Amino acid sequence: MFRQSMFLVLGLMAALTLGCEKKEEAAAVPDAGATTQEAGDAVDAHADDADAHADAAADAVKDAADKAGDAADEMKDAAKDIKIPGQ
Protein backbone atom coordinates (compact mmCIF):
# COMPACT_ATOMS: atom_id res chain seq x y z
CA MET A 1 0.00 0.00 0.00
CA PHE A 2 2.82 2.39 0.91
CA ARG A 3 4.52 1.65 -2.38
CA GLN A 4 1.38 2.38 -4.37
CA SER A 5 0.85 5.63 -2.45
CA MET A 6 4.44 6.62 -3.17
CA PHE A 7 3.96 6.05 -6.92
CA LEU A 8 0.70 7.99 -6.78
CA VAL A 9 2.40 10.92 -5.04
CA LEU A 10 5.35 10.87 -7.49
CA GLY A 11 2.94 10.74 -10.41
CA LEU A 12 0.93 13.68 -9.11
CA MET A 13 4.12 15.67 -8.46
CA ALA A 14 5.35 14.97 -12.00
CA ALA A 15 2.00 15.94 -13.51
CA LEU A 16 1.89 19.12 -11.45
CA THR A 17 5.48 20.03 -12.34
CA LEU A 18 5.02 19.40 -16.07
CA GLY A 19 1.66 21.12 -16.18
CA CYS A 20 2.85 24.26 -14.44
CA GLU A 21 5.91 25.09 -16.50
CA LYS A 22 6.63 28.79 -16.63
CA LYS A 23 5.81 30.13 -20.03
CA GLU A 24 8.28 32.52 -21.62
CA GLU A 25 6.87 35.81 -22.74
CA ALA A 26 7.04 36.51 -26.44
CA ALA A 27 9.03 39.51 -27.61
CA ALA A 28 6.95 42.59 -28.18
CA VAL A 29 6.11 43.36 -31.79
CA PRO A 30 7.53 46.72 -32.84
CA ASP A 31 5.04 49.47 -33.60
CA ALA A 32 4.36 49.51 -37.34
CA GLY A 33 4.01 53.30 -37.44
CA ALA A 34 7.38 53.89 -35.77
CA THR A 35 9.07 51.33 -37.99
CA THR A 36 7.60 52.91 -41.11
CA GLN A 37 8.70 56.38 -39.97
CA GLU A 38 12.25 55.18 -39.30
CA ALA A 39 12.39 53.53 -42.72
CA GLY A 40 11.13 56.72 -44.38
CA ASP A 41 13.75 58.81 -42.57
CA ALA A 42 16.49 56.44 -43.67
CA VAL A 43 15.31 56.59 -47.28
CA ASP A 44 15.24 60.40 -47.18
CA ALA A 45 18.77 60.54 -45.76
CA HIS A 46 20.09 58.18 -48.41
CA ALA A 47 18.24 60.06 -51.16
CA ASP A 48 19.96 63.30 -50.11
CA ASP A 49 23.33 61.52 -50.15
CA ALA A 50 22.55 60.03 -53.56
CA ASP A 51 21.68 63.47 -54.95
CA ALA A 52 24.94 64.92 -53.64
CA HIS A 53 26.94 62.05 -55.14
CA ALA A 54 25.09 62.37 -58.45
CA ASP A 55 25.89 66.09 -58.61
CA ALA A 56 29.56 65.41 -57.83
CA ALA A 57 29.67 62.69 -60.50
CA ALA A 58 28.08 65.01 -63.07
CA ASP A 59 30.66 67.72 -62.29
CA ALA A 60 33.48 65.17 -62.63
CA VAL A 61 32.12 64.00 -65.99
CA LYS A 62 31.91 67.61 -67.24
CA ASP A 63 35.49 68.27 -66.13
CA ALA A 64 36.68 65.08 -67.84
CA ALA A 65 34.85 66.02 -71.04
CA ASP A 66 36.43 69.49 -71.02
CA LYS A 67 39.90 68.00 -70.49
CA ALA A 68 39.31 65.46 -73.27
CA GLY A 69 38.21 68.26 -75.62
CA ASP A 70 41.30 70.32 -74.76
CA ALA A 71 43.52 67.29 -75.35
CA ALA A 72 41.85 66.66 -78.73
CA ASP A 73 42.45 70.29 -79.76
CA GLU A 74 46.10 69.98 -78.77
CA MET A 75 46.41 66.77 -80.79
CA LYS A 76 44.91 68.51 -83.85
CA ASP A 77 47.38 71.37 -83.51
CA ALA A 78 50.28 68.94 -83.07
CA ALA A 79 49.15 66.93 -86.10
CA LYS A 80 49.16 70.08 -88.29
CA ASP A 81 52.82 70.65 -87.44
CA ILE A 82 53.92 67.16 -88.53
CA LYS A 83 55.55 67.06 -91.96
CA ILE A 84 55.69 63.78 -93.75
CA PRO A 85 58.75 63.42 -95.99
CA GLY A 86 58.01 62.83 -99.61
CA GLN A 87 54.73 64.71 -99.79
Side-chain angles (χ1 to χ4, degrees), residues 44-56:
D44 292 341
H46 290 298
D48 292 341
D49 289 344
D51 289 341
H53 290 301
D55 291 340

Side-chain angles (χ1 to χ4, degrees), residues 9-31:
V9 169
L10 287 174
L12 290 173
M13 287 174 51
L16 182 64
T17 303
L18 293 175
C20 296
E21 288 183 10
K22 183 177 180 181
K23 296 180 182 176
E24 295 181 20
E25 293 182 16
V29 177
D31 181 28

Side-chain angles (χ1 to χ4, degrees), residues 7-8 17 21 35 41 45 64 70 82:
F7 282 120
L8 179 64
T17 303
E21 288 183 10
T35 304
D41 293 344
D70 293 342
I82 296 176

